[in-house]
Amino acid sequence: MTATTVPATAPIRVDLGLYPEVQKFGAADISACFSCGTCSATCPMSQTDGTFPRRIIRFAQLGMKEQLLSSKELWACYQCGECAETCPTKADPSEFMAATRRYAIASYDRTRLARTMYTRPAVASVLAVLIALFFAAFMYTAHGPMPGEELAIFTFIPEGLIHTMGIVVMVVVLLAGLAGVATMARDIGRKEGVSVRGALGSRRGLARTGRALWTAVGRESLGQVRFREECEADAVAMAVPWYRRRWLVHALVVWGFVGLLAATGLDYGLALIGVKETGTPVPLWYPVRLLGTLAGASLVYGASVLIIDRYRKANRSVTGSTTADWLLLALLWVTAVTGFTIELALYLPSAPVWGYWLFLVHVAVAMELVLLAPFMKLAHAVYRPVALFFVALAAEPKEASR
Ligand code: SF4
Ligand code: SF4
């Protein structure tokens, strides 16, 4: 790898190893791209910026690493695959964008674990099994009896141990995740000329920031508005049933995951303030339980459809799959299905022994899923809203200069 400087208004560092590096993350061969712009004309997300995704491809071809990593537009792509269909040279810009996001996640991660997860599939798979086994074995060493009258899961695995492990995992995730997000936000902020003072230092700045946050988190991430409105025209044209639409399946996974995290947190909070001990049987309509049940069903359905669609290559967005894609789906699916099955088993007239073992598997895999979140595709759940915040901020009317 060599570094040199090309003449420009401001010095631009050129990394000639960038393109081969991005290719290690699964990028299709985009050397055939001659920047014709057809993909930009096709892309439903490119309405306000006629150079997207073509510009990202050029950054990689020219070795402009800093420009690539500080591109907020990289995360505006929903991998609908329309650009891949229309590209005259079959350069597959859609897959290239996905690979570049993997590369970005690995670049923001200082531990290099994300890089291993993406570029060394065999090591990643072994690591995933070992982490799950570690969590399961660790909890099993402290296990109690398996009462037969009713499924007393916290008698088998003490809830205090699960809470302590959960807190340790969350601390690791927050430290690793926040470091990556801070790096990304700093890089994009510098490129966009957004400073903390400008964003928060005046009433107008605060109002713009608030609106951009709402757009990025409320409308785009939780509401999936652009995904639904702009990436689904094809689905309507091809008469894909509403319950198989990409935006809905993706949204169900998002809502399910967020709902389960919220239900777990609320359950813990209720125990802390003495309202309800964790694990106390409550009727289905009890708000926290109802939230957990609906979120679990949502995640089971969403993850199952994602797996089936990816296996069948059911749409343009899943024509190419990496081990990391499968690993994430497997962790999501096992977490969701084991959790939902335990939820049902809790109300059986007598406690099935398999319920206890399933609980052990559920907690081990759920811990692993959260622990690996900053190092896998799941990290996009945070990186994308941050980038979309800058996209929304750029679309806000500028403050009048005085
Ligand atoms: S990726 Fe294909 S469509 Fe897009 S600019 Fe390059 S050659 Fe044209
Ligand atoms: S995959 Fe879809 S959203 Fe992404 S760049 Fe291509 S056309 Fe645009």
Side-chain angles (χ1 to χ4, degrees), residues 39 42-46 52-53 76-84 93-95 97 101 231:
C39 51
T42 310
C43 175
M45 312 305 281
S46 185
F52 165 77
C77 162
Y78 286 102
Q79 209 181 353
C80 64
E82 284 191 39
C83 52
S94 172
E95 174 52 24
M97 293 292 278
R101 286 189 292 275
C231 279

Side-chain angles (χ1 to χ4, degrees), residues 102 118 310 320-330 376-377:
R102 291 179 207 125
Y118 279 129
R310 195 167 277 281
S321 296
T322 64
T323 302
D325 290 326
W326 288 114
L327 212 49
L328 175 59
L329 284 177
M376 302 180 75
K377 189 177 180 179

Side-chain angles (χ1 to χ4, degrees), residues 85-262:
E85 294 252 308
T86 54
C87 173
T89 61
K90 301 294 173 212
D92 201 349
S94 172
E95 174 52 24
F96 174 76
M97 293 292 278
T100 309
R101 286 189 292 275
R102 291 179 207 125
Y103 169 75
I105 289 173
S107 299
Y108 300 136
D109 169 35
R110 300 288 168 86
T111 68
R112 294 181 69 83
L113 180 56
R115 184 183 177 81
T116 302
M117 297 303 289
Y118 279 129
T119 59
R120 304 184 67 187
V123 176
S125 306
V126 171
L127 204 58
V129 172
L130 288 179
I131 292 172
L133 285 176
F134 167 77
F135 278 127
F138 184 73
M139 284 183 294
Y140 189 71
T141 54
H143 81 92
M146 297 179 181
E149 315 79 56
E150 61 178 21
L151 197 61
I153 49 181
F154 294 114
T155 305
F156 179 52
I157 305 293
E159 60 173 291
L161 176 68
I162 296 174
H163 286 156
T164 307
M165 260 175 46
I167 289 169
V168 172
V169 166
M170 288 306 290
V171 169
V172 173
V173 167
L174 283 176
L175 287 178
L178 284 181
V181 170
T183 305
M184 177 208 199
R186 183 202 60 199
D187 290 353
I188 298 182
R190 273 186 194 155
K191 184 178 176 188
E192 298 292 313
V194 176
S195 65
V196 175
R197 193 168 167 208
L200 306 174
S202 67
R203 284 181 65 182
R204 269 193 189 176
L206 270 174
R208 292 176 73 233
T209 302
R211 286 194 297 270
L213 268 177
W214 165 245
T215 302
V217 179
R219 282 175 56 82
E220 302 297 340
S221 301
L222 292 175
Q224 307 273 294
V225 172
R226 281 190 83 185
F227 198 169
R228 184 175 70 231
E229 290 176 354
E230 297 177 27
C231 279
E232 288 299 295
D234 262 16
V236 175
M238 293 164 67
V240 177
W242 63 268
Y243 52 86
R244 299 293 297 271
R245 301 260 166 96
R246 275 190 70 222
W247 82 266
L248 181 65
V249 173
H250 185 259
L252 287 174
V253 171
V254 173
W255 298 336
F257 192 76
V258 172
L260 283 177
L261 279 182

Side-chain angles (χ1 to χ4, degrees), residues 30 32-40 53-54 57 61 83 86-93:
I30 45 118
C33 169
F34 60 105
S35 210
C36 68
T38 308
C39 51
S40 300
R54 181 175 42 141
I57 296 170
Q61 287 175 325
C83 52
T86 54
C87 173
T89 61
K90 301 294 173 212
D92 201 349

